Coordinates of all heavy atoms in Angstrom, one line a residue:
M13 N 4.1 -31.5 -4.7 CA 2.7 -31.4 -5.1 C 2.3 -32.5 -6.1 O 1.3 -32.5 -6.7 CB 2.3 -30.1 -5.7 CG 2.1 -29.0 -4.6 SD 1.7 -27.4 -5.2 CE 0.4 -27.7 -6.3
K14 N 3.2 -33.5 -6.2 CA 2.9 -34.6 -7.2 C 1.6 -35.3 -6.9 O 0.6 -35.2 -7.5 CB 4.1 -35.5 -7.4 CG 5.2 -34.8 -8.1 CD 4.9 -34.5 -9.5 CE 6.1 -33.8 -10.2 NZ 5.7 -33.0 -11.3
N15 N 1.7 -36.1 -5.8 CA 0.6 -36.9 -5.4 C -0.1 -36.4 -4.2 O -1.3 -36.5 -4.0 CB 1.0 -38.4 -5.1 CG 1.5 -39.0 -6.3 OD1 1.0 -38.9 -7.4 ND2 2.6 -39.8 -6.2
E16 N 0.6 -35.7 -3.3 CA 0.1 -35.1 -2.1 C 0.4 -33.6 -2.2 O 1.4 -33.2 -2.5 CB 0.8 -35.7 -0.9 CG 0.4 -37.1 -0.6 CD -1.0 -37.3 0.0 OE1 -1.4 -36.3 0.8 OE2 -1.6 -38.2 -0.3
L17 N -0.6 -32.9 -1.8 CA -0.5 -31.4 -1.7 C 0.2 -31.1 -0.4 O -0.1 -31.5 0.6 CB -1.9 -30.8 -1.7 CG -1.9 -29.3 -1.7 CD1 -1.3 -28.7 -3.0 CD2 -3.3 -28.8 -1.5
D18 N 1.3 -30.3 -0.6 CA 2.1 -29.8 0.6 C 1.3 -28.5 1.1 O 1.5 -27.5 0.5 CB 3.5 -29.5 0.2 CG 4.4 -29.0 1.3 OD1 3.8 -28.7 2.4 OD2 5.6 -29.0 1.1
S19 N 0.6 -28.7 2.2 CA -0.2 -27.6 2.7 C 0.6 -26.4 3.1 O 0.2 -25.3 2.9 CB -1.2 -28.1 3.8 OG -0.5 -28.6 4.8
K20 N 1.7 -26.7 3.7 CA 2.6 -25.6 4.2 C 3.1 -24.8 3.0 O 3.1 -23.5 3.0 CB 3.8 -26.2 5.0 CG 4.7 -25.1 5.5 CD 5.9 -25.7 6.3 CE 6.8 -24.6 6.7 NZ 8.0 -25.1 7.4
F21 N 3.5 -25.5 1.9 CA 4.0 -24.8 0.7 C 2.8 -23.9 0.1 O 3.0 -22.8 -0.2 CB 4.4 -25.8 -0.3 CG 4.6 -25.3 -1.7 CD1 5.7 -24.5 -2.0 CD2 3.7 -25.5 -2.7 CE1 5.9 -24.0 -3.3 CE2 3.8 -25.0 -4.0 CZ 5.0 -24.2 -4.3
L22 N 1.6 -24.5 0.0 CA 0.5 -23.8 -0.5 C 0.1 -22.6 0.3 O -0.1 -21.5 -0.3 CB -0.7 -24.8 -0.6 CG -2.0 -24.1 -1.2 CD1 -1.8 -23.7 -2.6 CD2 -3.1 -25.0 -1.0
L23 N 0.1 -22.7 1.6 CA -0.2 -21.5 2.4 C 0.9 -20.4 2.3 O 0.6 -19.3 2.3 CB -0.4 -22.0 3.9 CG -1.6 -22.9 4.1 CD1 -1.6 -23.4 5.6 CD2 -2.9 -22.1 3.9
Q24 N 2.1 -20.9 2.2 CA 3.2 -19.9 2.0 C 3.0 -19.2 0.7 O 3.2 -17.9 0.6 CB 4.5 -20.8 2.0 CG 5.8 -20.0 2.1 CD 6.9 -20.9 2.3 OE1 7.0 -21.6 3.3 NE2 7.8 -21.0 1.3
V25 N 2.8 -19.9 -0.4 CA 2.6 -19.2 -1.7 C 1.4 -18.3 -1.7 O 1.4 -17.2 -2.2 CB 2.5 -20.3 -2.8 CG1 2.1 -19.6 -4.1 CG2 3.8 -21.0 -3.0
F26 N 0.3 -18.8 -1.0 CA -0.9 -17.9 -0.9 C -0.6 -16.6 -0.2 O -1.0 -15.5 -0.7 CB -2.0 -18.7 -0.2 CG -3.3 -17.9 -0.1 CD1 -4.2 -18.1 -1.1 CD2 -3.6 -17.1 1.0 CE1 -5.4 -17.4 -1.1 CE2 -4.8 -16.4 1.0 CZ -5.7 -16.6 0.0
D27 N 0.1 -16.7 0.9 CA 0.5 -15.5 1.6 C 1.4 -14.6 0.8 O 1.3 -13.4 0.8 CB 1.2 -15.9 2.9 CG 1.5 -14.7 3.8 OD1 0.5 -14.0 4.1 OD2 2.6 -14.5 4.3
K28 N 2.3 -15.1 0.0 CA 3.2 -14.3 -0.9 C 2.4 -13.6 -2.0 O 2.7 -12.5 -2.3 CB 4.3 -15.2 -1.5 CG 5.3 -15.6 -0.4 CD 6.4 -16.5 -1.0 CE 7.4 -16.9 0.1 NZ 8.6 -17.5 -0.4
I29 N 1.4 -14.3 -2.5 CA 0.6 -13.7 -3.5 C -0.2 -12.5 -2.9 O -0.3 -11.4 -3.5 CB -0.4 -14.7 -4.1 CG1 0.4 -15.7 -4.9 CG2 -1.4 -14.0 -5.1 CD1 -0.4 -16.9 -5.4
R30 N -0.7 -12.7 -1.7 CA -1.4 -11.6 -1.0 C -0.5 -10.4 -0.6 O -0.9 -9.3 -0.7 CB -2.1 -12.1 0.3 CG -3.3 -13.0 -0.1 CD -4.1 -13.4 1.1 NE -4.6 -12.1 1.7 CZ -5.3 -12.1 2.8 NH1 -5.4 -13.2 3.5 NH2 -5.8 -11.0 3.3
Q31 N 0.7 -10.7 -0.3 CA 1.7 -9.7 0.1 C 2.2 -8.9 -1.1 O 2.3 -7.7 -1.0 CB 2.9 -10.3 0.9 CG 2.6 -10.7 2.3 CD 3.8 -11.3 2.9 OE1 4.9 -11.1 2.5 NE2 3.6 -12.0 4.0
H32 N 2.5 -9.6 -2.2 CA 3.2 -9.0 -3.3 C 2.3 -8.8 -4.5 O 2.8 -8.1 -5.5 CB 4.4 -9.8 -3.6 CG 5.4 -10.0 -2.5 ND1 6.2 -9.0 -2.1 CD2 5.6 -11.0 -1.7 CE1 6.9 -9.4 -1.1 NE2 6.6 -10.7 -0.8
G33 N 1.1 -9.3 -4.5 CA 0.3 -9.2 -5.7 C -0.5 -7.9 -5.7 O -0.7 -7.2 -4.8
A34 N -1.1 -7.7 -6.9 CA -2.0 -6.6 -7.1 C -3.4 -7.0 -6.6 O -3.9 -8.0 -7.0 CB -2.1 -6.2 -8.5
Q35 N -4.0 -6.2 -5.8 CA -5.4 -6.5 -5.3 C -6.4 -5.9 -6.2 O -6.3 -4.7 -6.6 CB -5.5 -5.9 -3.9 CG -6.9 -6.3 -3.3 CD -7.0 -5.9 -1.8 OE1 -6.2 -5.2 -1.3 NE2 -8.2 -6.2 -1.2
E36 N -7.4 -6.7 -6.6 CA -8.5 -6.3 -7.3 C -9.7 -6.9 -6.6 O -10.0 -8.1 -6.6 CB -8.5 -6.9 -8.7 CG -7.3 -6.4 -9.6 CD -7.3 -7.0 -11.0 OE1 -8.3 -7.6 -11.4 OE2 -6.2 -7.0 -11.6
N37 N -10.5 -6.0 -5.9 CA -11.6 -6.3 -5.0 C -11.0 -7.2 -3.9 O -10.1 -6.9 -3.2 CB -12.7 -7.0 -5.8 CG -13.3 -6.0 -6.8 OD1 -13.5 -4.8 -6.5 ND2 -13.6 -6.5 -8.0
E38 N -11.5 -8.4 -3.8 CA -11.1 -9.4 -2.8 C -10.1 -10.4 -3.3 O -9.7 -11.3 -2.6 CB -12.3 -10.1 -2.2 CG -13.3 -9.1 -1.5 CD -12.7 -8.3 -0.3 OE1 -11.9 -8.9 0.5 OE2 -13.0 -7.1 -0.3
Q39 N -9.6 -10.2 -4.5 CA -8.6 -11.1 -5.1 C -7.3 -10.5 -5.3 O -7.1 -9.3 -5.4 CB -9.1 -11.6 -6.5 CG -10.4 -12.3 -6.5 CD -10.9 -12.8 -7.8 OE1 -10.2 -12.5 -8.8 NE2 -11.9 -13.6 -7.9
Y40 N -6.3 -11.3 -5.2 CA -4.9 -10.9 -5.4 C -4.3 -11.6 -6.6 O -4.5 -12.8 -6.8 CB -4.0 -11.2 -4.2 CG -4.5 -10.5 -2.9 CD1 -5.6 -11.0 -2.2 CD2 -4.0 -9.2 -2.6 CE1 -6.1 -10.3 -1.1 CE2 -4.4 -8.6 -1.4 CZ -5.5 -9.1 -0.7 OH -5.9 -8.4 0.4
K41 N -3.5 -10.9 -7.5 CA -3.0 -11.4 -8.7 C -1.5 -11.2 -8.7 O -1.0 -10.1 -8.5 CB -3.6 -10.8 -9.9 CG -5.1 -11.1 -9.9 CD -5.8 -10.5 -11.1 CE -7.3 -10.8 -11.0 NZ -7.9 -11.3 -12.2
L42 N -0.7 -12.3 -9.0 CA 0.7 -12.2 -9.1 C 1.2 -13.2 -10.1 O 0.9 -14.4 -10.0 CB 1.3 -12.4 -7.7 CG 2.9 -12.4 -7.6 CD1 3.3 -10.9 -7.9 CD2 3.3 -12.8 -6.2
N43 N 2.0 -12.8 -11.1 CA 2.6 -13.7 -12.1 C 1.6 -14.7 -12.7 O 1.9 -15.8 -12.9 CB 3.8 -14.5 -11.4 CG 4.9 -13.6 -11.0 OD1 4.9 -12.4 -11.2 ND2 5.9 -14.2 -10.4
G44 N 0.4 -14.2 -13.0 CA -0.6 -15.0 -13.7 C -1.4 -15.9 -12.8 O -2.2 -16.8 -13.2
I45 N -1.2 -15.8 -11.5 CA -1.9 -16.6 -10.5 C -2.9 -15.7 -9.7 O -2.4 -14.6 -9.3 CB -1.0 -17.3 -9.5 CG1 0.0 -18.3 -10.2 CG2 -1.7 -18.0 -8.4 CD1 -0.7 -19.5 -10.8
T46 N -4.1 -16.1 -9.5 CA -5.0 -15.4 -8.7 C -5.3 -16.2 -7.4 O -5.5 -17.4 -7.5 CB -6.4 -15.2 -9.5 OG1 -6.1 -14.5 -10.7 CG2 -7.4 -14.4 -8.7
A47 N -5.4 -15.5 -6.3 CA -5.6 -16.1 -5.0 C -6.7 -15.3 -4.3 O -6.7 -14.1 -4.3 CB -4.3 -16.1 -4.2
F48 N -7.6 -16.0 -3.7 CA -8.6 -15.4 -2.9 C -9.2 -16.4 -1.9 O -9.0 -17.6 -2.0 CB -9.7 -14.8 -3.8 CG -10.4 -15.7 -4.7 CD1 -11.6 -16.3 -4.4 CD2 -9.8 -16.0 -5.9 CE1 -12.2 -17.2 -5.3 CE2 -10.3 -16.9 -6.8 CZ -11.6 -17.5 -6.6
T49 N -10.1 -16.0 -1.0 CA -10.8 -16.9 -0.1 C -12.3 -16.7 -0.2 O -12.8 -15.7 -0.8 CB -10.4 -16.6 1.4 OG1 -10.9 -15.3 1.7 CG2 -8.9 -16.6 1.6
D50 N -13.0 -17.7 0.4 CA -14.5 -17.5 0.4 C -14.8 -16.5 1.5 O -13.9 -15.9 2.1 CB -15.2 -18.9 0.6 CG -14.8 -19.5 2.0 OD1 -14.0 -18.9 2.7 OD2 -15.3 -20.6 2.2
H51 N -16.1 -16.2 1.7 CA -16.5 -15.1 2.6 C -16.1 -15.3 4.0 O -15.8 -14.4 4.7 CB -18.0 -15.0 2.5 CG -18.8 -16.1 3.1 ND1 -19.0 -17.3 2.4 CD2 -19.4 -16.3 4.3 CE1 -19.7 -18.1 3.1 NE2 -19.9 -17.6 4.3
D52 N -15.9 -16.6 4.5 CA -15.5 -16.8 5.9 C -14.0 -17.1 6.0 O -13.5 -17.2 7.2 CB -16.3 -17.9 6.5 CG -16.2 -19.3 5.8 OD1 -15.3 -19.4 4.9 OD2 -17.0 -20.2 6.1
G53 N -13.3 -17.2 4.9 CA -11.9 -17.4 5.0 C -11.4 -18.8 5.2 O -10.2 -19.0 5.3
Y54 N -12.3 -19.7 5.3 CA -11.9 -21.1 5.5 C -11.5 -21.9 4.3 O -10.8 -22.9 4.4 CB -13.1 -21.9 6.1 CG -13.3 -21.6 7.6 CD1 -14.4 -20.9 8.1 CD2 -12.3 -22.0 8.5 CE1 -14.5 -20.6 9.4 CE2 -12.5 -21.7 9.9 CZ -13.6 -21.1 10.3 OH -13.7 -20.8 11.6
T55 N -11.9 -21.4 3.1 CA -11.5 -22.0 1.8 C -10.6 -21.1 1.0 O -11.0 -19.9 0.8 CB -12.7 -22.5 1.0 OG1 -13.5 -23.3 1.8 CG2 -12.3 -23.2 -0.2
L56 N -9.5 -21.5 0.6 CA -8.6 -20.8 -0.3 C -8.8 -21.2 -1.7 O -9.0 -22.4 -2.0 CB -7.1 -21.0 0.1 CG -6.7 -20.8 1.5 CD1 -5.2 -21.1 1.7 CD2 -7.1 -19.4 2.0
Y57 N -8.7 -20.3 -2.6 CA -8.7 -20.6 -4.1 C -7.5 -20.0 -4.7 O -7.1 -18.8 -4.5 CB -10.0 -19.9 -4.7 CG -11.2 -20.4 -4.1 CD1 -11.8 -19.8 -3.0 CD2 -11.9 -21.5 -4.7 CE1 -13.0 -20.3 -2.5 CE2 -13.1 -22.0 -4.1 CZ -13.6 -21.4 -3.1 OH -14.8 -21.9 -2.5
I58 N -6.8 -20.8 -5.4 CA -5.6 -20.4 -6.2 C -5.8 -20.9 -7.6 O -6.1 -22.1 -7.8 CB -4.3 -20.9 -5.6 CG1 -4.1 -20.4 -4.1 CG2 -3.1 -20.5 -6.4 CD1 -2.9 -21.0 -3.4
E59 N -5.7 -20.0 -8.6 CA -5.9 -20.5 -10.0 C -5.2 -19.6 -11.0 O -4.7 -18.5 -10.7 CB -7.5 -20.4 -10.2 CG -8.1 -19.0 -10.0 CD -9.6 -19.0 -10.1 OE1 -10.2 -19.9 -9.4 OE2 -10.1 -18.1 -10.7
D60 N -5.1 -20.2 -12.2 CA -4.6 -19.5 -13.3 C -5.7 -19.7 -14.4 O -6.8 -20.1 -14.1 CB -3.2 -19.9 -13.8 CG -3.1 -21.3 -14.3 OD1 -4.1 -22.0 -14.5 OD2 -1.9 -21.7 -14.6
V61 N -5.4 -19.4 -15.7 CA -6.4 -19.5 -16.7 C -6.9 -21.0 -16.9 O -8.0 -21.2 -17.4 CB -6.0 -18.9 -18.0 CG1 -5.8 -17.4 -17.8 CG2 -4.7 -19.5 -18.5
N62 N -6.0 -21.9 -16.6 CA -6.3 -23.3 -16.9 C -6.6 -24.2 -15.7 O -7.2 -25.3 -15.8 CB -5.2 -24.0 -17.7 CG -5.0 -23.3 -19.0 OD1 -6.0 -23.1 -19.8 ND2 -3.8 -22.9 -19.3
V63 N -6.0 -23.9 -14.5 CA -6.1 -24.7 -13.3 C -6.8 -24.0 -12.2 O -6.5 -22.8 -11.9 CB -4.7 -25.2 -12.9 CG1 -4.8 -26.1 -11.7 CG2 -4.0 -26.0 -14.1
K64 N -7.7 -24.7 -11.5 CA -8.3 -24.1 -10.3 C -8.0 -25.1 -9.2 O -8.2 -26.3 -9.3 CB -9.8 -24.0 -10.5 CG -10.1 -23.0 -11.6 CD -11.6 -22.8 -11.7 CE -12.1 -21.9 -12.9 NZ -11.1 -20.9 -13.4
L65 N -7.6 -24.5 -8.1 CA -7.3 -25.3 -6.9 C -8.2 -24.7 -5.7 O -8.2 -23.5 -5.5 CB -5.8 -25.2 -6.5 CG -5.5 -25.7 -5.0 CD1 -5.8 -27.1 -4.9 CD2 -4.0 -25.4 -4.8
Q66 N -8.9 -25.6 -5.1 CA -9.7 -25.2 -3.9 C -9.1 -26.0 -2.7 O -9.0 -27.2 -2.7 CB -11.2 -25.6 -4.1 CG -12.1 -25.3 -3.0 CD -13.5 -25.8 -3.3 OE1 -13.9 -26.0 -4.4 NE2 -14.3 -26.0 -2.3
F67 N -8.7 -25.2 -1.7 CA -8.0 -25.8 -0.5 C -8.8 -25.3 0.7 O -9.0 -24.2 0.9 CB -6.6 -25.3 -0.4 CG -5.8 -25.8 0.7 CD1 -5.3 -27.1 0.7 CD2 -5.7 -25.0 1.9 CE1 -4.5 -27.5 1.8 CE2 -4.9 -25.5 2.9 CZ -4.4 -26.8 2.9
G68 N -9.3 -26.3 1.5 CA -10.2 -26.0 2.6 C -9.9 -26.6 3.9 O -8.8 -27.0 4.1
F69 N -10.9 -26.5 4.7 CA -10.8 -27.0 6.1 C -10.2 -28.4 6.2 O -10.5 -29.2 5.4 CB -12.2 -26.9 6.7 CG -12.3 -26.8 8.2 CD1 -11.6 -25.8 8.9 CD2 -12.9 -27.7 8.9 CE1 -11.7 -25.7 10.2 CE2 -13.0 -27.7 10.3 CZ -12.4 -26.6 11.0
H70 N -9.4 -28.6 7.2 CA -8.8 -29.9 7.4 C -7.9 -30.4 6.2 O -7.8 -31.6 5.9 CB -9.8 -31.0 7.7 CG -10.6 -30.8 9.0 ND1 -9.9 -30.8 10.2 CD2 -11.9 -30.6 9.2 CE1 -10.9 -30.6 11.1 NE2 -12.0 -30.4 10.6
N71 N -7.3 -29.4 5.5 CA -6.4 -29.6 4.4 C -7.0 -30.4 3.3 O -6.3 -31.1 2.5 CB -5.1 -30.3 4.9 CG -4.3 -29.4 5.8 OD1 -4.3 -28.2 5.7 ND2 -3.6 -30.0 6.8
Q72 N -8.3 -30.3 3.1 CA -9.0 -31.0 2.0 C -8.8 -30.1 0.7 O -8.9 -28.9 0.9 CB -10.4 -31.2 2.2 CG -10.7 -32.2 3.3 CD -12.2 -32.4 3.6 OE1 -13.0 -31.8 2.9 NE2 -12.5 -33.2 4.6
Y73 N -8.5 -30.7 -0.4 CA -8.3 -29.9 -1.6 C -8.9 -30.6 -2.9 O -9.1 -31.8 -2.9 CB -6.8 -29.6 -1.8 CG -6.0 -30.8 -2.0 CD1 -5.7 -31.3 -3.2 CD2 -5.4 -31.4 -0.9 CE1 -4.9 -32.4 -3.4 CE2 -4.6 -32.6 -1.0 CZ -4.3 -33.0 -2.3 OH -3.5 -34.1 -2.5
H74 N -9.1 -29.8 -3.9 CA -9.6 -30.3 -5.1 C -9.0 -29.5 -6.3 O -9.0 -28.2 -6.2 CB -11.1 -30.1 -5.2 CG -11.7 -30.5 -6.5 ND1 -11.8 -31.8 -7.0 CD2 -12.2 -29.7 -7.5 CE1 -12.3 -31.8 -8.2 NE2 -12.5 -30.5 -8.5
F75 N -8.4 -30.1 -7.3 CA -7.9 -29.5 -8.4 C -8.9 -29.7 -9.6 O -9.6 -30.7 -9.7 CB -6.6 -30.2 -8.9 CG -5.4 -29.8 -8.1 CD1 -4.9 -30.6 -7.1 CD2 -4.7 -28.6 -8.4 CE1 -3.7 -30.2 -6.4 CE2 -3.6 -28.2 -7.7 CZ -3.1 -29.0 -6.7
D76 N -8.9 -28.7 -10.5 CA -9.8 -28.8 -11.7 C -8.9 -28.3 -12.8 O -8.5 -27.2 -12.9 CB -11.0 -27.9 -11.5 CG -11.9 -28.1 -12.7 OD1 -11.9 -29.1 -13.4 OD2 -12.7 -27.1 -12.9
Y77 N -8.6 -29.3 -13.7 CA -7.8 -28.9 -14.9 C -8.0 -30.0 -16.0 O -8.5 -31.1 -15.7 CB -6.3 -28.9 -14.6 CG -5.7 -30.1 -13.9 CD1 -5.1 -31.1 -14.7 CD2 -5.7 -30.2 -12.5 CE1 -4.6 -32.2 -14.1 CE2 -5.1 -31.3 -11.9 CZ -4.6 -32.3 -12.7 OH -4.1 -33.4 -12.1
D78 N -7.6 -29.7 -17.2 CA -7.9 -30.6 -18.3 C -6.8 -31.5 -18.7 O -7.0 -32.6 -19.3 CB -8.4 -29.8 -19.6 CG -9.7 -29.2 -19.4 OD1 -10.6 -29.7 -18.6 OD2 -10.0 -28.1 -19.9
S79 N -5.6 -31.1 -18.5 CA -4.4 -31.9 -18.9 C -3.3 -31.9 -17.9 O -3.2 -30.9 -17.1 CB -3.9 -31.4 -20.3 OG -3.3 -30.2 -20.1
K80 N -2.4 -32.8 -18.0 CA -1.3 -32.9 -17.1 C -0.3 -31.7 -17.3 O 0.2 -31.2 -16.4 CB -0.5 -34.2 -17.4 CG 0.7 -34.4 -16.6 CD 1.4 -35.7 -16.9 CE 2.7 -35.9 -16.1 NZ 3.4 -37.1 -16.5
E81 N -0.2 -31.3 -18.6 CA 0.6 -30.1 -18.9 C 0.1 -28.8 -18.2 O 0.9 -28.0 -17.8 CB 0.6 -29.9 -20.4 CG 1.4 -31.0 -21.2 CD 0.6 -32.3 -21.4 OE1 -0.6 -32.3 -21.3 OE2 1.3 -33.3 -21.6
Q82 N -1.2 -28.7 -18.2 CA -1.8 -27.5 -17.5 C -1.4 -27.5 -16.0 O -1.0 -26.5 -15.4 CB -3.3 -27.5 -17.7 CG -3.7 -27.2 -19.1 CD -5.2 -27.3 -19.2 OE1 -5.9 -27.9 -18.4 NE2 -5.8 -26.6 -20.3
Y83 N -1.5 -28.7 -15.4 CA -1.2 -28.8 -14.0 C 0.3 -28.6 -13.8 O 0.7 -27.8 -12.8 CB -1.5 -30.3 -13.5 CG -1.0 -30.5 -12.1 CD1 -1.7 -30.0 -11.0 CD2 0.2 -31.1 -11.9 CE1 -1.2 -30.2 -9.7 CE2 0.7 -31.4 -10.6 CZ 0.0 -30.9 -9.5 OH 0.5 -31.1 -8.3
E84 N 1.2 -29.1 -14.6 CA 2.6 -28.9 -14.5 C 3.0 -27.4 -14.6 O 3.8 -26.9 -13.9 CB 3.4 -29.8 -15.4 CG 3.3 -31.3 -15.1 CD 3.9 -32.2 -16.1 OE1 4.1 -31.7 -17.3 OE2 4.0 -33.4 -15.8
S85 N 2.3 -26.7 -15.5 CA 2.6 -25.3 -15.7 C 2.1 -24.5 -14.5 O 2.9 -23.6 -14.0 CB 1.8 -24.8 -17.0 OG 1.9 -23.4 -17.1
F86 N 1.0 -24.9 -13.9 CA 0.5 -24.2 -12.7 C 1.5 -24.5 -11.6 O 1.8 -23.5 -10.8 CB -0.9 -24.8 -12.4 CG -1.5 -24.3 -11.2 CD1 -2.1 -23.0 -11.1 CD2 -1.6 -25.1 -10.0 CE1 -2.7 -22.6 -10.0 CE2 -2.3 -24.6 -8.9 CZ -2.8 -23.3 -8.9
E87 N 1.9 -25.7 -11.4 CA 2.8 -26.0 -10.3 C 4.1 -25.3 -10.5 O 4.6 -24.7 -9.5 CB 3.1 -27.5 -10.3 CG 4.0 -28.0 -9.3 CD 4.3 -29.5 -9.3 OE1 4.3 -30.1 -10.4 OE2 4.4 -30.1 -8.2
K88 N 4.6 -25.1 -11.7 CA 5.8 -24.4 -11.9 C 5.6 -22.9 -11.6 O 6.5 -22.3 -10.9 CB 6.2 -24.5 -13.4 CG 7.5 -23.8 -13.8 CD 7.8 -24.1 -15.3 CE 9.1 -23.4 -15.7 NZ 9.4 -23.6 -17.1
K89 N 4.5 -22.3 -11.9 CA 4.2 -20.9 -11.5 C 4.2 -20.7 -10.0 O 4.8 -19.8 -9.5 CB 2.9 -20.4 -12.0 CG 2.8 -20.2 -13.5 CD 1.4 -19.8 -13.9 CE 1.3 -19.8 -15.4 NZ -0.1 -19.5 -15.8
L90 N 3.6 -21.7 -9.2 CA 3.6 -21.6 -7.8 C 5.0 -21.7 -7.2 O 5.4 -20.9 -6.3 CB 2.7 -22.7 -7.2 CG 1.2 -22.7 -7.5 CD1 0.5 -23.8 -6.8 CD2 0.6 -21.3 -7.2
K91 N 5.8 -22.6 -7.7 CA 7.2 -22.8 -7.3 C 8.0 -21.5 -7.6 O 8.9 -21.1 -6.8 CB 7.8 -24.0 -7.9 CG 7.3 -25.3 -7.3 CD 8.0 -26.5 -8.0 CE 7.4 -27.8 -7.4 NZ 8.0 -29.0 -8.0
Q92 N 7.7 -20.9 -8.7 CA 8.5 -19.6 -9.1 C 8.1 -18.5 -8.1 O 9.0 -17.8 -7.7 CB 8.2 -19.3 -10.5 CG 9.0 -18.2 -11.0 CD 10.5 -18.6 -11.1 OE1 10.8 -19.7 -11.4 NE2 11.4 -17.6 -10.9
I93 N 6.8 -18.4 -7.8 CA 6.4 -17.4 -6.8 C 7.1 -17.6 -5.5 O 7.6 -16.7 -4.9 CB 4.9 -17.3 -6.7 CG1 4.2 -16.7 -7.9 CG2 4.5 -16.6 -5.4 CD1 2.7 -16.8 -8.0
D94 N 7.1 -18.9 -5.1 CA 7.8 -19.2 -3.8 C 9.3 -18.8 -3.8 O 9.8 -18.3 -2.8 CB 7.6 -20.7 -3.5 CG 8.0 -21.1 -2.1 OD1 7.7 -20.3 -1.1 OD2 8.7 -22.1 -1.9
K95 N 9.9 -19.1 -4.9 CA 11.3 -18.8 -5.0 C 11.6 -17.3 -5.1 O 12.6 -16.8 -4.5 CB 11.9 -19.5 -6.3 CG 13.3 -19.4 -6.5 CD 13.7 -20.1 -7.8 CE 15.2 -19.9 -8.1 NZ 15.6 -20.6 -9.3
E96 N 10.9 -16.6 -5.9 CA 11.1 -15.2 -6.1 C 10.8 -14.3 -5.0 O 11.4 -13.2 -4.8 CB 10.4 -14.7 -7.4 CG 10.9 -15.2 -8.7 CD 10.2 -14.6 -9.9 OE1 9.4 -13.6 -9.7 OE2 10.4 -15.2 -10.9
Y97 N 9.8 -14.6 -4.2 CA 9.3 -13.7 -3.1 C 9.6 -14.3 -1.8 O 9.4 -14.6 -1.0 CB 7.8 -13.4 -3.3 CG 7.6 -12.7 -4.6 CD1 7.2 -13.4 -5.8 CD2 7.7 -11.3 -4.7 CE1 7.0 -12.8 -7.0 CE2 7.5 -10.7 -6.0 CZ 7.1 -11.4 -7.1 OH 6.9 -10.8 -8.2

């Protein structure tokens, strides 16, 4: 996930959050990460308190964060979820 987002990895982590996370309304929460979709299911959102990731149709994505450290912490959380579940 350094320069290019690995869509397979992201979808895998999203699925693990949905399978193993706690559901609150239409959102799923696991290890400090929240995952949800828009109303039609075409756009995925994965976020923590500092980083927001929007992943959509045709593998287009957008990150929103303030510092490299925040991004690295977010990436570490995603990798940990992938490894643990």
